[in-house]
Amino acid sequence: CVQVQKTGLSSYIGMLAVLPELQGLGVGSQMLNHAEQHAMSHFLSITAVMTVIARRTELISFYLSRGYQLTGEIESYPVSAGAGVPKCTDLDLSKLVKSLR
């Protein structure tokens, strides 16, 4: 699954998830490419924005290899969003951005 949400001239891309048995086979790259294309063609977005749990360095590396850049902005994990109770307390989110033009 993947979420694409218009936010002004950007699109937020989030909730990208691939079944564990399909990871490493290019499925995530294909889904991310499709999400970016959707953002450009349907929302006319010029940038894609996402947040990733800062501790997930392998995910950040994946997005960096796909052209995203760390902005240096850090957000607290949104405990009040109703996504469950985190098992640890240091779940900061790193913001990444990519130009779609």
Side-chain angles (χ1 to χ4, degrees):
C1 70
V2 64
Q3 170 195 16
V4 183
Q5 180 179 347
K6 181 175 176 54
T7 56
L9 295 176
S10 297
S11 280
Y12 178 81
I13 296 178
M15 305 300 289
L16 179 62
V18 177
L19 290 169
E21 58 267 23
L22 298 178
Q23 292 175 4
L25 301 176
V27 174
S29 292
Q30 291 176 2
M31 290 173 61
L32 183 57
N33 185 54
H34 185 74
E36 293 167 352
Q37 294 298 320
H38 182 85
M40 287 186 292
S41 63
H42 289 82
F43 300 145
L44 304 176
S45 296
I46 59 173
T47 57
V49 177
M50 65 174 58
T51 55
V52 178
I53 296 174
R55 295 174 56 165
R56 297 292 309 271
T57 56
E58 75 284 0
L59 288 179
I60 292 173
S61 294
F62 169 76
Y63 293 120
L64 292 175
S65 73
R66 298 277 312 176
Y68 286 81
Q69 296 179 352
L70 287 164
T71 66
E73 295 178 52
I74 304 292
E75 301 174 12
S76 296
Y77 184 84
V79 176
S80 63
V85 178
K87 294 183 180 184
C88 54
T89 58
D90 58 341
L91 288 181
D92 291 331
L93 303 175
S94 293
K95 185 175 179 180
L96 294 97
V97 66
K98 177 181 178 178
S99 173
L100 298 177
R101 301 286 176 199

